[in-house]
C-alpha cells in the first residue's frame, strides 16, 4: 500500500521530537576539545629557541618570519618571531619540525580581529604562554616529561593546568 | 589485484599491430608515436583480450624540451592496467591527437590539460578553457609561467 | 506556411543555475536550456574555485604538499592525504609499518562514512526535505569528526596520514571511542533507512531518474558509487587492493539500474560495509611503530609514480614526477569529482529542472576537488 | 454547549446592542464589522509571531536541535527579532521589473489571506459574517491566492520567478478541483453551505472526520498543496528554483509573502478544524474551556501537523504533483461524492455511514494507488550486494 513509507518516516521524526537535542550550546557550554587539538594560539619557549628557522622552512605557506641576531660563539638571539595567523592553515608542520621543542600549537580557536595585521602574532604574544596542546606529538610527551621546567600541562577539558603524569 | 603491464609487455602488445609505433620503452610504461596515438588507443580499446575500456586518467608533464602526456589505461574486464605516453614538441602549439571519440572521459581531462598546460588536442570537439577564463594569459602549469601577477590575472573589463 | 504559423511557437529559455545557487555544492554553474520545465541541453561550467593546487604543490617539499591536498576534497581529507602519501611512498620506495597501514584503513573508512553521510544528507536537502535528514546525518558525521580530532587534533583538514605511515600513534582513548561509534552506527543507519528508503516520494523522485548506462559509465570514466550503481563491480579495495584491504571481509554493493536511487542506496550500503571494515581493522590492529623514520625533507630518486585509491567519491589518483629534487616536478591529481561530471549532460538531458539538482547531487561532487 | 461560558466573549453583540438606540442602522453594521475586524487582528497578529516561533522551534526539535533559544526566554522573542530584521532590510526593486505589478503583488497576496477569516467561526456567535454561502465564499477567495503569486513571478523579470509562477498556476488551479469536490461531499451531508451550521451538524452527529475520512484526506492534501508547503512547495522549491516567485523580493515586501503564508496555513487549519473536527465543539468531557479556546487549540494543533509534515517529507516533482491531483485525488473525490449521495438519499444512521466511509476510504486509497501508481516505486526490492564476484 502506498503511504506506508511516508508513515514510517513521519514516525521516525516524531520519535526524534522527544529526544534530547544533539546541539552543543557553544558559548555557554564549553566544547570538549581533544588533548591534541591544533589551535591558533601558538606557544613559544624563548629559552629553547635557537633561531634556527627550521619551523619557518617547514611551513608550507611561509607564515613564520624570523630575524636573528648573532651573539657570537654560534649563538643567536631571536629578534623577531612573527606568525601570520591569518595565513596559517594549522597543519602543525612547524611544531613537528622544531628540533628543540620550542614551538607548540595552542588550544585556542576563538580568534577574530578587525584588522588583518592584528592577526600577526609577535614573539611577545606567544612567549611563555603556558597553554599548549602538549600531546600534540607522542614523542613530545616523553621529551616534556624529561624537561624539568615544564611540569604542568594545560588540560583543555578542565581548563586548568594539571601536573604532568 | 590489477595486473600492471610493464613496459616490455606493453611494447610487445602495441608492436603486434604498430611495429614502428613505439618510440621508447620505459620500465613501467611505453612512449608511442604521437601521430599514431588515436589508432593505438582505438586498437587497445577494441581488441578483445586487451579491452582497455577505462581511461583512468590523463596527465601532462612539462619537461621543458618537450611535453609528455600520460594515459593511464585500465581494463575493467581483464583487470590489468597500462601506461602509455606521448611526447609533444614545441612550446607554441604542442599538438597531441584527442582520444575523446574513444573514451568520453578524456573530454574534461584534455580540456584541463589544454587549459593549464597549453597542449592542443587536435580533434577535440569542444577544446576551450575549463578552469580559467577565456583570455587568461599563459598556461599556469608550464614551467615558464612566471610570477603570480595580479595585473595579469584580473578578468578583462573588471 | 500559414498553417505552420498558426501553431504555437515556443522558445527555449536559458537558465544559469549557479554560480550562486542553493544546491550547487559551492560555486558551480549549470547552463540549462529549458523547454518549459524539461532540460534540453546542459553545460557544466566550473573553475570558480580554481586555486591551481597542482602548481602550488610543485613549489613545496613533499611533506608540505600534504596540508594542501587536505583542501581539495575537504569532506574526505584523510583519503586525500592517503593517496598523496601513497604516491610519495611509491616514488621514494618508503616502507610503511603494518600498524600504520591498519590505522590508515580505519581512517579511510571512517572518512568514507562521514563523507557519505554528508552526501546523503545533501541529496535529501536537494530533494527538498528541509534539512531534517541532513541534520540526522550530520549528527553522525560530528562523531566521526570528534574521533578524527582525537587522533589528529583538527576537525576538517587533518594532515594526519603522512608518507611512511601516520603522523602519530592514536591516543589510548581512541579505540574505545571508535568501538562505541561503530557499535551504534548501524542503529543509526537503520534509522535513516526507516526514515528514507521506503518513502514513496523519495523513491518516485529517484527511481529511473538520471540513468547512467553501464557502457557510458565505463566510457566516461565514472568511478566510485556512481560507477558501481551502474552495475559494474569495480572497487579498488577489491580489484586492486592497497594497504591491507585484502585481509578484511566486506562486500561491495553494486546497483543494477544506474539511476539516482541506486547511487543513493549504494552509498547507504557502503556505510554499513565500512563499519564492518573498521571493526575488523580495530580487532586486528597490531602493535608496533606507526611511521617510518623519515627526514623532514624527502628527496626521491628521479622518476614518476602513480598511486590510486578508492575514496568516497571514486578513484583518486596522484601522478607525481620527481626530478631528483626536494620538490615534485609535476603533481597531477586525478580528481574523481571532476571526472564523474563527464557524463552529467547525458544524465540530465530530458529530465525536469527539479531532477537536475537531484541528479547533480547524486554524483556527490566537492567543488574543491573539481576545480582544485 | 449551553450558553454562558461559551458566549462570554461576545462583546461585539453587547456593544452593538448598547449603541443600537444612538446610531442609525447602517452605522451599526459598520461598527459591528470594525469590532470584528479588530478582534480578528487581535488574534492574527500575535498568531503570526506565535506560528513563526512554533514552526522554528518545532522543526528544530524534529531535527534534534534546540531551535531559537537566544532571544528572550526559550527564544520567544525570536519572531520579533526576525520582524525587526526583515523590516529593517533594504527593499530592493531590481532593474527591469514591472514596477506597478511588482509592488502590488505583496499587498494583493495579503487580501485573500485575510478575507478568508471573515467566515471562520471561532465560537457559536463569534463569526464575522456567517454567510449563507460560507464555504463557497471561502473556496473562491482562497483560489484568488494564485493571482498575486503569478503577479510576483511575472513582474520580477527573473526566470526562476517565472518558472515558479508557472508552476504555481498549474498547481493551484489543479488542486482547486479536488479541494472543492471533497468539500461538496461534506456539504451534501450537512445540507448547508454555512460553516456555522456545519459545526452544529457535527454537534448533533459525529464529527466530520469520522463521517468523511476520504474527504478529509483529499482536503488535507489539496489544502497543503494550495499552501505551497512541503512536500508540495514546488512553487518556491528552494533547492531547484531558489525561491520561486519571490526570488527577487526583499525586506518588507518579502515579509508580506512570508506573513501571508503563515496566515494561510492558519486559515487552512481553521477550516480543517471547523469542517472536519467539530470547530468550537469540545471533547465530551473537557467542557470547561470556552469554545473559542477550543477552536484556537485545534487550529494550532493542525498547524503543528503541517510543521511535522514539512519536517519529514521531501518535495514532490511538478509532474508527479499534477498526477496526484488529476489521477488520484479527483477520481477518489468523485467516487466519494457518489457514495455520499447514496448514503444521504438512503438516510442511513451516522454510525453506519462512518463505518462504510472509513472502509471505503481505506479500500479506495489502497486499491486505487496500487492501480495507477508506479508499481516499481512501491514494490521493487533491489539487490545491492553482487552475486558475481568478478568484474564483468
Amino acid at each position: 500500500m502506498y503511504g506506508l513509507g511516508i508513515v514510517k518516516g513521519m514516525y521516525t521524526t516524531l520519535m526524534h521530537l522527544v529526544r534530547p537535542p544533539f546541539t552543543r550550546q557553544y558559548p555557554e557550554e564549553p566544547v570538549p576539545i581533544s588533548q591534541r587539538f591544533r589551535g591558533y594560539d601558538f606557544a613559544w619557549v624563548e629559552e629553547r629557541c635557537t633561531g634556527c628557522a627550521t619551523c619557518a622552512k617547514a611551513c608550507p605557506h611561509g607564515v613564520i618570519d624570523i630575524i636573528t641576531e648573532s651573539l657570537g660563539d654560534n649563538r643567536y638571539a631571536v629578534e623577531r618571531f612573527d606568525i601570520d595567523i591569518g595565513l596559517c592553515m594549522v597543519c602543525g608542520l612547524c611544531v613537528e619540525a622544531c628540533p628543540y621543542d620550542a614551538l607548540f600549537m595552542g588550544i585556542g580557536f576563538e580568534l577574530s580581529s578587525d584588522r588583518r595585521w592584528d592577526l600577526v602574532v609577535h614573539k611577545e604574544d606567544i612567549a611563555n604562554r603556558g597553554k599548549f596542546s602538549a600531546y600534540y606529538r607522542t614523542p613530545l610527551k616523553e621529551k616534556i616529561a624529561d624537561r624539568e621546567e615544564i611540569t604542568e600541562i594545560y588540560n583543555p577539558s578542565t581548563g586548568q593546568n594539571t601536573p604532568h603524569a | 589485484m590489477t595486473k600492471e603491464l610493464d613496459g616490455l609487455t606493453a611494447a610487445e602488445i602495441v608492436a603486434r599491430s604498430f611495429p614502428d609505433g613505439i618510440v621508447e620503452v620505459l620500465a613501467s610504461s611505453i612512449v608511442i608515436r604521437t601521430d599514431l596515438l588515436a589508432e593505438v588507443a582505438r586498437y587497445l580499446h577494441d581488441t578483445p583480450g586487451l579491452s582497455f575500456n577505462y581511461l583512468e586518467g590523463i596527465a601532462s608533464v612539462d619537461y621543458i624540451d618537450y611535453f609528455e602526456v600520460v594515459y593511464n589505461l585500465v581494463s575493467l574486464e581483464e583487470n590489468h592496467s597500462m601506461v602509455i605516453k606521448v611526447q609533444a614538441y614545441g612550446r607554441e602549439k604542442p599538438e597531441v591527437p584527442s582520444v575523446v571519440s574513444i573514451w568520453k572521459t578524456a573530454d574534461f581531462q584534455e580540456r584541463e590539460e589544454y587549459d593549464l598546460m597549453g597542449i592542443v588536442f587536435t580533434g577535440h570537439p569542444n577544446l576551450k578553457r575549463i578552469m580559467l577564463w577565456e583570455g587568461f594569459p599563459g598556461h599556469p602549469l608550464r614551467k615558464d609561467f612566471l610570477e603570480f601577477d595580479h595585473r595579469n590575472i584580473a578578468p578583462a573589463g573588471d | 506556411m500559414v498553417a505552420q504559423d498558426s501553431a504555437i511557437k515556443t522558445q527555449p529559455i536559458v537558465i544559469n543555475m549557479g554560480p550562486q545557487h542553493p544546491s550547487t555544492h559551492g560555486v558551480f554553474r549549470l547552463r540549462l536550456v529549458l523547454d518549459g520545465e524539461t532540460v534540453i541541453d546542459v553545460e557544466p561550467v566550473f573553475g570558480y574555485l580554481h586555486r591551481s593546487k597542482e602548481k602550488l604543490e610543485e613549489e613545496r617539499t613533499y611533506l608540505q604538499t600534504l596540508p594542501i591536498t587536505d583542501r581539495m576534497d575537504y569532506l574526505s581529507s584523510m583519503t586525500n592525504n592517503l593517496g598523496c602519501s601513497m604516491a610519495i611512498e611509491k616514488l621514494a620506495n618508503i616502507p610503511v609499518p603494518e600498524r600504520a597501514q591498519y590505522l590508515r584503513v580505519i581512517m579511510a573508512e571512517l572518512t568514507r562514512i562521514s563523507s557519505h553521510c554528508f552526501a546523503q544528507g545533501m541529496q535529501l536537502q536537494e530533494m527538498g526535505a528541509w534539512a531534517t535528514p541532513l541534520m540526522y546525518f550530520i549528527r553522525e558525521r560530528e562523531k566521526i569528526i570528534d574521533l578524527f580530532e582525537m587522533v589528529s587534533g583538527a576537525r576538517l583538514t587533518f594532515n594526519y596520514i603522512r608518507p611512511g605511515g601516520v603522523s602519530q600513534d592514536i591516543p589510548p582513548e581512541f579505540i574505545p571511542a571508535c568501538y562505541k561509534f561503530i557499535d551504534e552506527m548501524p542503529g543509526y543507519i537503520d534509522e535513516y533507512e526507516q526514515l528514507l528508503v521506503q518513502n514513496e516520494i523519495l523513491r518516485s523522485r529517484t527511481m529511473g531518474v538520471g540513468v547512467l548506462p553501464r557502457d557510458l559509465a565505463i566510457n566516461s570514466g565514472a568511478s566510485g558509487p556512481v560507477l558501481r550503481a551502474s552495475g559494474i563491480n569495480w572497487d579498488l579495495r577489491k580489484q586492486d587492493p592497497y594497504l591491507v584491504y585484502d585481509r578484511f571481509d566486506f562486500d561491495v554493493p553494486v546497483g543494477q539500474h544506474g539511476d539516482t536511487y541506486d547511487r543513493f542506496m549504494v552509498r547507504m550500503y557502503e556505510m554499513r560495509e565500512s563499519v564492518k571494515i573498521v571493526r575488523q581493522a580495530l580487532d586486528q590492529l597490531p602493535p608496533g611503530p606507526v611511521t617510518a623514520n623519515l627526514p623532514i625533507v624527502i628527496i626521491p630518486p628521479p622518476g614518476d609514480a602513480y598511486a590510486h585509491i578508492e575514496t568516497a567519491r571514486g578513484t583518486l589518483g596522484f601522478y607525481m614526477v620527481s626530478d631528483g629534487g626536494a620538490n615534485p616536478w609535476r603533481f597531477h591529481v586525478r580528481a574523481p569529482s571532476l571526472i564523474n561530471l563527464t557524463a552529467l549532460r547525458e544524465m540530465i538531458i530530458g529530465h525536469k529542472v527539479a531532477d537536475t539538482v537531484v541528479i547533480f547531487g547524486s554524483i556527490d561532487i566537492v567543488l574543491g576537488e573539481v576545480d582544485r | 454547549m449551553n450558553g454562558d461560558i461559551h458566549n462570554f466573549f461576545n462583546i461585539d453583540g453587547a456593544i452593538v446592542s448598547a449603541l443600537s438606540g444612538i446610531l442609525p442602522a447602517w452605522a451599526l453594521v459598520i461598527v459591528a464589522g470594525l469590532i470584528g475586524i479588530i478582534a480578528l487582528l487581535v488574534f492574527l497578529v500575535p498568531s503570526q509571531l506565535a506560528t513563526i516561533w512554533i514552526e522554528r522551534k518545532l522543526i528544530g526539535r524534529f531535527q534534534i536541535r534546540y531551535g531559537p533559544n537566544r532571544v528572550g526566554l526559550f527564544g520567544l522573542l525570536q519572531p520579533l527579532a526576525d520582524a525587526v530584521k526583515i523590516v529593517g532590510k533594504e527593499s530592493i526593486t531590481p532593474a527591469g521589473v514591472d514596477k506597478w505589478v511588482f509592488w502590488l503583488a505583496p499587498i494583493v497576496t495579503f487580501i485573500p489571506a485575510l478575507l478568508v477569516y471573515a467566515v471562520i467561526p471561532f465560537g457559536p456567535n463569534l463569526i464575522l459574517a456567517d454567510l449563507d454561502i460560507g464555504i463557497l465564499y471561502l473556496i473562491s477567495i482562497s483560489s484568488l491566492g494564485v493571482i498575486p503569486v503569478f503577479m510576483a513571478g511575472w513582474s520580477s523579470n527573473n526566470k526562476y520567478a517565472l518558472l515558479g509562477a508557472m508552476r504555481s498556476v498549474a498547481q493551484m488551479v489543479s488542486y482547486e478541483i479536488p479541494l472543492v469536490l471533497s468539500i461538496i461531499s461534506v456539504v451534501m451531508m450537512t445540507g448547508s453551505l454555512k460553516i456555522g451550521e456545519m459545526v452544529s451538524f457535527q454537534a448533533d452527529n459525529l464529527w466530520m472526520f469520522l463521517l468523511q475520512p476520504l474527504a478529509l484526506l483529499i482536503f488535507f492534501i489539496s489544502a497543503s498543496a494550495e499552501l505551497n508547503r512541503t512536500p508540495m512547495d514546488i512553487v518556491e522549491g528552494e533547492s531547484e528554483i531558489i525561491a520561486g516567485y519571490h526570488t527577487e523580493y526583499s525586506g518588507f515586501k518579502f515579509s508580506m509573502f512570508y506573513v501571508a503564508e503563515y496566515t494561510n496555513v492558519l486559515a487552512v487549519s481553521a477550516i480543517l478544524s471547523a469542517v472536519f473536527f467539530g470547530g468550537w465543539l469540545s471533547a465530551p468531557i473537557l467542557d470547561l474551556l470556552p469554545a473559542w479556546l477550543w477552536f484556537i487549540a485545534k487550529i494550532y494543533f493542525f498547524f503543528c501537523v503541517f510543521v511535522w509534515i514539512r519536517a519529514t517529507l521531501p518535495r514532490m516533482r511538478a509532474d508527479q504533483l499534477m498526477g496526484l491531483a488529476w489521477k488520484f485525488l479527483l477520481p477518489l473525490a468523485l467516487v466519494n461524492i457518489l457514495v455520499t449521495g447514496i448514503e444521504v438519499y438512503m438516510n442511513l444512521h451516522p454510525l453506519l455511514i462512518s463505518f462504510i466511509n472509513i472502509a471505503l476510504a481505506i479500500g479506495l486509497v489502497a486499491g486505487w494507488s496500487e492501480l495507477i501508481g508506479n508499481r516499481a516505486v512501491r514494490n521493487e526490492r533491489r539487490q545491492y550486494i553482487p552475486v558475481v564476484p568478478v568484474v564483468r
Side-chain angles (χ1 to χ4, degrees):
Chain A
M1 182 176 163
Y2 273 76
L4 285 186
I6 290 176
V7 171
K8 270 188 187 172
M10 303 281 284
Y11 173 75
T12 314
T13 41
L14 193 65
M15 286 299 104
H16 277 82
L17 183 66
V18 294
R19 283 194 196 175
F22 189 70
T23 327
R24 284 187 201 122
Q25 295 288 309
Y26 162 54
E28 294 90 24
E29 197 183 312
V31 183
I33 59 174
S34 70
Q35 293 274 319
R36 291 182 177 178
F37 190 79
R38 308 202 305 245
Y40 275 110
D41 50 356
F42 287 84
W44 177 61
V45 185
E46 190 166 11
E47 301 84 51
R48 293 194 201 153
C49 183
T50 59
C52 67
T54 313
C55 48
K57 286 174 208 151
C59 179
H61 285 178
V63 305
I64 303 178
D65 188 8
I66 297 183
I67 292 179
T68 50
E69 186 190 1
S70 176
L71 298 176
D73 192 20
N74 206 10
R75 286 174 57 82
Y76 295 90
V78 179
E79 239 174 43
R80 189 156 98 191
F81 193 96
D82 290 356
I83 302 178
D84 188 350
I85 290 171
L87 288 176
C88 174
M89 54 182 189
V90 229
C91 61
L93 288 180
C94 51
V95 178
E96 290 177 27
C98 182
Y100 303 102
D101 294 343
L103 189 64
F104 298 96
M105 308 293 285
I107 47 96
F109 51 89
E110 293 152 320
L111 187 78
S112 69
S113 159
D114 292 336
R115 297 279 178 275
R116 204 184 165 88
W117 50 83
D118 290 343
L119 293 175
V120 181
V121 293
H122 307 287
K123 71 170 186 180
E124 297 80 26
D125 306 330
I126 58 177
N128 305 320
R129 274 271 179 86
K131 272 187 176 188
F132 47 84
S133 49
Y135 286 82
Y136 175 56
R137 202 156 48 113
T138 320
L140 273 185
K141 194 173 156 189
E142 288 96 44
K143 281 185 198 168
I144 286 170
D146 291 345
R147 306 252 179 190
E148 284 175 8
E149 58 263 45
I150 295 181
T151 51
E152 287 193 336
I153 281 171
Y154 184 73
N155 187 348
S157 46
T158 59
Q160 280 161 0
N161 287 347
T162 48
H164 188 270
Chain B
M1 196 79 188
T2 306
K3 190 179 160 206
E4 289 174 8
L5 304 182
D6 59 358
L8 282 172
T9 327
E12 190 191 316
I13 288 168
V14 174
R16 268 186 238 153
S17 287
F18 302 93
D20 56 345
I22 297 162
V23 177
E24 194 182 352
V25 179
L26 302 169
S28 60
S29 58
I30 50 167
V31 183
I32 60 171
R33 256 172 57 193
T34 311
D35 51 335
L36 283 178
L37 174 68
E39 286 86 0
V40 172
R42 173 64 69 186
Y43 164 73
L44 292 174
H45 179 269
D46 288 349
T47 315
L50 302 177
S51 60
F52 286 100
N53 51 4
Y54 191 82
L55 173 61
E56 191 166 303
I58 298 178
S60 61
V61 191
D62 179 6
Y63 283 112
I64 298 181
D65 297 337
Y66 57 92
F67 292 96
E68 194 170 82
V69 184
V70 185
Y71 296 83
N72 205 316
L73 308 178
V74 180
S75 167
L76 299 192
E77 292 175 4
E78 311 292 335
N79 201 358
H80 56 203
S81 70
M82 175 172 160
V83 180
I84 60 175
K85 297 177 176 177
V86 292
Q87 290 167 348
Y89 286 85
R91 298 204 68 84
E92 285 304 309
K93 196 186 175 198
E95 284 189 348
V96 171
S98 169
V99 291
V100 175
S101 55
I102 302 157
W103 295 288
K104 191 176 155 46
T105 175
D107 186 357
F108 283 174
Q109 303 189 50
E110 283 180 355
R111 275 176 69 187
E112 190 190 341
E113 299 309 335
Y114 164 72
D115 185 359
L116 302 177
M117 193 64 93
I119 296 168
V120 179
F121 289 89
T122 52
H124 191 288
N126 182 24
L127 194 65
K128 58 181 188 184
R129 284 185 179 268
I130 189 168
M131 299 293 178
L132 305 168
W133 55 92
E134 293 296 328
F136 182 89
H139 302 282
L141 282 185
R142 287 190 176 185
K143 291 288 174 188
D144 55 1
F145 183 85
L146 282 177
E147 283 299 307
F148 179 79
D149 191 340
H150 287 278
R151 283 166 304 177
N152 283 346
I153 71 156
D158 196 36
Chain C
M1 192 176 238
V2 177
Q4 278 179 359
D5 279 354
S6 67
I8 298 174
K9 279 185 187 164
T10 60
Q11 190 186 350
I13 58 170
V14 180
I15 275 197
N16 274 312
M17 196 174 258
Q20 274 80 37
H21 186 275
S23 59
T24 49
H25 293 229
V27 270
F28 182 88
R29 183 150 72 98
L30 279 170
R31 189 177 166 278
L32 301 174
V33 183
L34 302 181
D35 176 15
E37 285 247 344
T38 313
V39 181
I40 54 177
D41 195 10
V42 58
E43 184 194 3
V45 182
F46 37 86
Y48 297 96
L49 209 60
H50 179 63
R51 295 156 291 179
S52 204
K53 290 246 179 275
E54 295 176 3
K55 185 80 173 176
L56 291 176
E57 311 275 27
E58 287 174 12
E59 294 164 358
R60 281 159 176 78
T61 64
Y62 286 93
L63 196 58
Q64 287 173 352
T65 59
L66 287 161
I68 295 179
T69 58
D70 275 340
R71 270 94 182 148
M72 287 192 315
D73 180 353
Y74 38 75
L75 291 182
S76 48
S77 309
M78 281 285 188
T79 42
N80 287 5
N81 287 344
L82 175 60
C84 183
S85 304
M86 280 174 60
I88 295 170
E89 284 153 13
K90 210 166 167 181
L91 196 63
N93 291 319
I94 300 168
V96 182
E98 198 179 11
R99 184 179 171 85
Q101 300 208 13
Y102 275 91
L103 288 181
R104 285 175 170 196
V105 168
I106 293 170
M107 298 308 157
E109 294 307 317
L110 287 177
T111 303
R112 192 184 315 275
I113 298 172
S114 82
S115 175
H116 280 346
C117 274
F118 205 77
Q120 303 291 65
M122 287 316 287
Q123 169 90 70
L124 262 296
Q125 178 82 345
E126 267 138 36
M127 278 180 219
W130 228 80
T132 308
L134 179 65
M135 288 295 163
Y136 294 175
F137 279 110
I138 279 184
R139 169 186 59 185
E140 269 65 66
R141 188 164 182 273
E142 275 305 304
K143 291 176 181 164
I144 298 175
I145 288 177
D146 283 346
L147 290 177
F148 284 159
E149 189 197 326
M150 215 179 267
V151 296
S152 74
R155 293 181 69 83
L156 189 67
T157 52
F158 308 109
N159 190 19
Y160 177 64
I161 297 174
R162 301 285 172 82
V166 296
S167 71
Q168 53 199 323
D169 203 351
I170 48 173
E173 67 267 25
F174 174 79
I175 290 180
C178 192
Y179 267 123
K180 182 167 172 286
F181 170 73
I182 59 174
D183 283 342
E184 59 193 27
M185 185 67 195
Y188 285 125
I189 300 177
D190 290 342
E191 213 164 66
Y192 306 144
E193 294 198 333
Q194 193 186 359
L195 174 65
L196 301 168
V197 169
Q198 287 177 30
N199 190 320
E200 282 82 4
I201 298 178
L202 184 140
R203 285 168 80 103
S204 57
R205 278 302 295 276
T206 51
M207 280 186 166
V209 170
V211 175
L212 180 63
R214 219 189 113 91
D215 294 340
L216 183 63
I218 298 176
N219 200 301
S220 66
S223 53
V226 181
L227 181 73
R228 288 193 285 278
S230 296
I232 300 129
N233 186 1
W234 181 261
D235 188 323
L236 291 178
R237 293 174 294 169
K238 282 277 189 201
Q239 313 298 344
D240 187 13
Y242 52 97
L243 298 179
V244 285
Y245 272 112
D246 46 355
R247 300 184 196 175
F248 305 125
D249 169 39
F250 63 100
D251 290 318
V252 177
V254 174
Q256 288 155 6
H257 301 73
D259 55 6
T260 308
Y261 186 74
D262 273 358
R263 289 191 277 277
F264 182 81
M265 288 306 290
V266 162
R267 292 204 178 93
M268 213 66 146
Y269 278 91
E270 271 188 13
M271 285 199 266
R272 288 188 189 277
E273 299 302 321
S274 292
V275 171
K276 268 162 73 179
I277 298 175
V278 174
R279 185 183 298 279
Q280 293 172 48
L282 278 176
D283 289 343
Q284 300 175 15
L285 189 63
V290 294
T291 178
N293 274 326
L294 292 179
I296 290 175
V297 179
I298 303 162
I299 300 186
D304 59 349
Y306 177 79
H308 56 186
I309 59 165
E310 183 79 24
T311 71
R313 279 167 194 78
T315 304
L316 174 70
F318 284 87
Y319 178 70
M320 281 184 205
V321 179
S322 159
D323 64 338
N327 308 340
W329 177 259
R330 174 81 169 98
F331 188 101
H332 174 82
V333 185
R334 185 243 189 242
S337 294
L338 172 71
I339 295 168
N340 285 352
L341 281 177
T342 312
L344 182 68
R345 186 169 179 274
E346 281 73 14
M347 285 154 78
I348 285 182
I349 283 182
H351 288 293
K352 302 271 185 282
V353 183
D355 290 333
T356 306
V357 291
V358 175
I359 297 166
F360 180 67
S362 75
I363 299 176
D364 181 25
I365 61 163
V366 166
L367 258 295
E369 193 177 57
V370 172
D371 296 341
R372 297 197 295 292
Chain D
M1 286 315 108
N2 56 353
D4 298 327
I5 192 161
H6 295 291
N7 289 335
F8 83 100
F9 199 61
N10 198 352
I11 312 165
D12 193 5
I15 294 176
V16 171
S17 56
L19 289 174
S20 58
I22 310 163
L23 292 174
W26 57 269
L28 280 179
V29 174
I30 294 178
V31 168
L34 277 178
I35 294 170
I37 291 168
I38 290 167
L40 263 185
L41 288 179
V42 165
F43 166 67
L44 276 180
V45 172
S47 282
Q48 292 305 333
L49 304 177
T51 47
I52 292 173
W53 181 81
I54 289 174
E55 168 147 51
R56 292 186 58 172
K57 195 80 181 170
L58 210 54
I59 282 199
R61 294 310 304 268
F62 276 123
Q63 298 173 350
I64 46 172
R65 345 178 239 115
Y66 284 98
N69 65 350
R70 294 286 143 155
V71 195
L73 190 67
F74 303 122
L76 274 169
L77 297 179
Q78 185 69 42
L80 278 180
D82 280 0
V84 169
K85 183 202 79 172
I86 210 161
V87 171
K89 284 207 168 184
E90 185 186 0
S91 185
I92 301 167
T93 309
V97 301
D98 189 341
K99 276 216 179 87
W100 273 97
V101 186
F102 188 77
W103 274 89
L104 222 55
I107 301 164
V108 175
T109 194
F110 216 75
I111 294 171
L114 280 181
L115 279 180
V116 165
Y117 283 90
V119 293
I120 287 176
F122 285 83
N125 289 317
L126 281 173
I127 180 163
L128 192 55
D130 198 1
L131 300 177
D132 287 341
I133 51 159
I135 198 84
L136 200 60
Y137 165 87
L138 209 150
I139 287 166
S140 53
I141 289 293
S142 69
S143 66
L144 288 180
V146 66
I147 292 172
V149 171
F150 191 73
M151 281 165 73
W154 178 259
S155 64
S156 288
N157 190 26
N158 179 317
K159 285 167 185 166
Y160 289 112
L162 187 62
L163 273 179
M166 306 293 273
R167 285 178 175 194
S168 84
V169 172
Q171 179 190 345
M172 290 194 181
V173 171
S174 303
Y175 274 89
E176 281 303 324
I177 296 162
L179 187 76
V180 175
L181 290 181
S182 68
I183 289 288
I184 281 181
S185 53
V186 176
V187 171
M188 283 162 72
M189 291 213 110
T190 56
S192 169
L193 290 168
K194 270 188 171 180
I195 298 182
E197 282 191 17
M198 286 186 174
V199 181
S200 341
F201 173 84
Q202 295 178 64
D204 302 336
N205 298 292
L206 292 172
W207 284 8
M208 199 53 88
F209 76 97
L210 289 169
L211 294 172
Q212 288 288 348
L214 196 57
L216 170 68
L217 180 76
I218 296 167
F219 183 85
F220 192 83
I221 296 176
S222 314
S224 64
E226 294 273 303
L227 292 174
N228 301 330
R229 284 172 73 83
T230 341
M232 301 171 177
D233 60 340
I234 57 166
V235 173
E236 48 192 86
E238 86 281 343
S239 64
E240 302 149 15
I241 50 172
I242 299 176
Y245 61 95
H246 58 67
T247 304
E248 292 288 355
Y249 283 89
S250 56
F252 195 75
K253 292 201 292 275
F254 169 73
S255 75
M256 294 294 277
F257 284 115
Y258 193 63
V259 166
E261 185 192 325
Y262 284 94
T263 318
N264 279 327
V265 178
L266 277 182
V268 165
S269 307
I271 299 166
L272 259 177
S273 37
V275 176
F276 290 98
F277 288 87
W280 64 77
L281 304 177
S282 53
I285 35 170
L286 295 165
D287 214 4
L288 295 169
L289 295 175
W292 54 274
L293 207 59
W294 267 103
F295 189 67
I296 290 174
K298 283 177 188 172
I299 292 178
Y300 276 92
F301 173 76
F302 286 111
F303 178 76
C304 293
V305 172
F306 277 118
V307 174
W308 179 22
I309 290 172
R310 183 179 190 185
T312 308
L313 296 181
R315 184 183 305 122
M316 296 171 85
R317 208 168 59 205
D319 53 333
Q320 292 166 348
L321 208 57
M322 296 296 115
L324 183 71
W326 292 104
K327 289 196 249 167
F328 184 75
L329 298 180
L330 184 62
L332 255 57
L334 290 174
V335 172
N336 194 33
I337 289 175
L338 176 72
V339 174
T340 312
I342 294 170
E343 284 163 355
V344 170
Y345 181 76
M346 291 169 70
N347 208 0
L348 296 175
H349 188 270
L351 276 176
L352 187 61
I353 293 182
S354 163
F355 181 72
I356 294 174
N357 278 355
I358 290 175
L360 179 82
I362 295 172
L364 265 183
V365 170
W368 191 251
S369 58
E370 281 300 323
L371 199 66
I372 62 151
N374 184 352
R375 277 194 199 84
V377 164
R378 180 60 229 150
N379 298 323
E380 193 173 344
R381 292 278 177 271
R382 292 188 177 178
Q383 187 74 32
Y384 286 97
I385 304 297
V387 233
V388 212
V390 209
V391 197
R392 56 178 81 227

